[in-house]
Amino acid sequence: MTLQEFFNRYSQAYSALDARAVSAMFTRPFTAVHHGQIATFGVNDEEMLYQTTLGILEYYRAQGVVSASCYLAEVLPFGSELATVKVRWTARRHHAEPWMFSTGYHLKRENGEWRIYGLAQYEEHSHPAH
């Protein structure tokens, strides 16, 4: 699977606001920087990571998000097994302006599949919750 294919699948899970599918695309351990807060999830923190992902997606649902699309703005490969990707997102909402924001992802291959081991949401977004 290419990085583009991985992010197509990831954006489909995000658009569906499917916390189980989104969190399944993360490794454990996993680190996130979201709205200036750092969160680290260990090998045994699968349920905690799921609940955190669920909370974020529930917030998006409450804000009227109906779909999310993305494109890979930058890709920095580190061999064939590691990469850092900057993704530009557009989250479309019912009766409101879309949110546009960028997120940086660190990925690695596990058993031949891309998985996210870290992410950082940038401050350069129009998302109102910061």
Side-chain angles (χ1 to χ4, degrees):
M1 173 183 305
T2 67
L3 284 168
Q4 184 63 62
E5 290 167 336
F6 172 85
F7 278 100
N8 289 346
R9 207 174 81 196
Y10 186 70
S11 67
Q12 289 171 351
Y14 229 92
S15 288
L17 301 173
D18 184 343
R20 196 62 73 191
V22 170
S23 64
M25 300 175 95
F26 301 145
T27 65
R28 261 71 86 218
F30 174 81
T31 300
V33 178
H34 188 75
H35 300 302
Q37 301 294 315
I38 298 172
T40 301
F41 301 87
V43 174
N44 297 317
D45 293 336
E46 185 167 339
E47 184 61 22
M48 187 185 314
L49 179 56
Y50 165 72
Q51 290 297 327
T52 300
T53 304
L54 180 63
I56 292 167
L57 294 179
E58 286 299 323
Y59 172 79
Y60 289 165
R61 184 184 322 275
Q63 299 305 309
V65 172
V66 294
S67 69
S69 60
C70 69
Y71 74 91
L72 280 55
E74 295 179 46
V75 177
L76 298 169
F78 300 101
S80 62
E81 302 297 309
L82 297 170
T84 294
V85 178
K86 180 178 180 180
V87 175
R88 294 207 185 269
W89 286 95
T90 300
R92 288 172 185 74
R93 302 183 299 149
H94 282 299
H95 310 295
E97 290 295 314
W99 287 337
M100 291 178 274
F101 56 96
S102 296
T103 305
Y105 296 90
H106 301 292
L107 299 103
K108 68 178 183 174
R109 286 191 192 268
E110 285 187 345
N111 301 318
E113 297 289 326
W114 286 110
R115 305 251 328 237
I116 301 166
Y117 69 87
L119 67 82
Q121 191 172 53
Y122 290 81
E123 290 297 321
E124 62 178 23
H125 54 75
S126 65
H127 193 293
H130 63 279

